[in-house]
């Protein structure tokens, strides 16, 4: 009797669905949307958490670990958020494997409506816990992003706890997803690019594709690493300005953040990134500034253990950073 009753119920549901095709279709679509959203969220959370570096008390940090944890630091100013952007270039996997080629501090001062992009030059000679003196750019190879953050915090008096790591090749995908970015090129830069595979590039404010922006960010043939890091900051601002166009479209902004999360590794949550993005984009007349560490007049070129390095005045640079960010 129970089986017959169950069968009758199943048949009744099928008949009801046939009589109410519109309602049934809507229900099926809702269920499908729910499943797609659940799968998307699962992929997103996996990308966000797969390689996260934890934050622990300073006494619990092992500077010689393969993946050094981030030493907990109190926020110096509740209105100032600092995030370290770390980029690596994988063109030659055998050359200084794991080195961080780009270290840019993205800082937002909410009280002053001010955003700062601050490059740390990789050749700066610093003291690295557990490894003695070496180039700042080597910290990533020695102990991952945790050791890089701990070294920058300790040497320059900062409170960085959050990071975003991106391979330069993934930068192409992000910029193409944005539809390209605008960057100001000098006559010298434009002429160089025309001679190296970009025949239509001209000087001025031009729109670059992902691959063109990558070539610009990598370029140090015209000057040195100071010039290259300035180009990298210009690319960052190009991305910011393009995202600014989406400030009044929260769904598009969230979709963009979700795509970017598939291209990077970070210890920030989607909520944190979205809130930070909306805070920055909500400032009508955002003041922007960019700089490099070491600052002009605070370093000398030198050598250390047969490496070309920058011998820097740490105290002068600490003061310079405080003046810029706070």
């Amino acid at each position: 009797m129970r089986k017959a009753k169950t069968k009758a119920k199943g048949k009744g549901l099928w008949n009801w669905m046939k009589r109410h095709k519109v309602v049934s279709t809507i229900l099926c679509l809702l269920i499908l949307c729910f499943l797609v959203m659940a799968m998307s969220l699962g992929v997103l959370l996996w990308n966000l958490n797969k390689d996260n570096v934890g934050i622990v008390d300073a006494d619990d940090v092992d500077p010689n670990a393969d993946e050094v944890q981030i030493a907990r630091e109190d926020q110096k100013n509740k209105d100032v958020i600092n995030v370290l952007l770390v980029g690596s270039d994988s063109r030659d996997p055998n050359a200084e494997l794991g080195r961080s080629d780009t270290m840019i501090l993205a800082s937002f001062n909410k009280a002053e409506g001010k955003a700062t992009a601050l490059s740390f030059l990789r050749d700066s000679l610093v003291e690295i816990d557990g490894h003695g003196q070496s180039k700042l750019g080597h910290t990533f190879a020695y102990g991952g992003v945790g050791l890089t953050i701990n070294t920058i915090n300790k040497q320059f008096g900062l409170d960085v706890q959050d990071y975003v790591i991106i391979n330069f090749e993934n930068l192409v995908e992000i910029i193409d997803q944005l539809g390209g970015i605008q960057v100001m090129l000098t006559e010298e830069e434009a002429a160089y690019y025309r001679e190296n595979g970009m025949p239509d590039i001209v000087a001025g404010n031009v729109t670059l594709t992902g691959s063109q922006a990558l070539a610009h960010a990598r370029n140090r043939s015209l000057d040195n690493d100071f010039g290259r890091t300035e180009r990298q900051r210009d690319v960052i601002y190009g991305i910011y300005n393009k995202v600014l166009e989406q400030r009044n479209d929260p769904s598009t902004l969230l979709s963009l953040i979700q795509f970017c999360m598939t291209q990077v590794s970070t210890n920030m949550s989607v909520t944190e990134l979205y809130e930070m993005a909306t805070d920055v984009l909500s400032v009508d007349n955002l003041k922007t500034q960019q700089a490099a560490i070491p600052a002009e007049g605070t370093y000398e070129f030198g050598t250390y253990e047969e490496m070309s390095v920058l011998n820097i005045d740490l105290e002068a640079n600490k003061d310079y950073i405080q003046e810029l960010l706070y």
Side-chain angles (χ1 to χ4, degrees), residues 60-188:
D60 295 327
V61 173
D62 177 5
N64 294 300
D66 291 337
E67 194 71 62
V68 176
Q69 301 297 294
I70 299 169
R72 184 175 287 106
E73 295 281 352
D74 293 331
Q75 191 173 2
K76 296 184 180 298
N77 185 315
K78 64 180 179 60
D79 290 319
V80 179
I81 301 171
N82 295 318
V83 179
L84 188 67
L85 311 179
V86 180
S88 62
D89 194 337
S90 63
R91 286 176 299 175
D92 183 1
N94 296 314
E96 293 193 74
L97 185 63
R99 181 187 64 188
S100 54
D101 288 283
T102 303
M103 293 163 286
I104 299 178
L105 183 71
S107 180
F108 175 55
N109 188 319
K110 189 174 183 177
E112 296 186 13
K114 177 176 66 176
T116 306
L118 186 63
S119 297
F120 289 89
L121 270 72
R122 61 190 183 184
D123 288 343
S124 300
L125 184 63
V126 294
E127 186 71 27
I128 305 171
D129 283 349
H131 302 275
Q133 284 196 315
S134 192
K135 292 183 179 183
L136 180 60
H138 289 170
T139 54
F140 197 75
Y142 292 161
V145 67
L147 187 60
T148 300
I149 288 176
N150 294 344
T151 303
I152 287 175
N153 283 342
K154 188 171 184 178
Q155 297 299 310
F156 299 101
L158 284 165
D159 58 357
V160 181
Q161 301 284 268
D162 299 319
Y163 67 85
V164 176
I165 305 172
I166 184 170
N167 185 285
F168 279 172
E169 299 298 336
N170 297 107
L171 189 66
V172 173
E173 299 294 333
I174 291 174
I175 292 174
D176 285 340
Q177 180 75 10
L178 288 167
I181 60 171
Q182 288 195 320
V183 175
M184 184 66 70
L185 299 182
T186 66
E187 291 285 355
E188 185 182 20

Side-chain angles (χ1 to χ4, degrees), residues 30-50:
L30 287 174
I31 293 170
L32 180 61
C33 288
F34 174 78
L35 289 174
V36 170
M37 289 174 63
M39 290 173 64
S40 299
L41 181 61
V43 171
L44 183 61
L45 291 174
W46 183 82
N47 276 285
L48 281 171
N49 295 292
K50 61 179 179 179

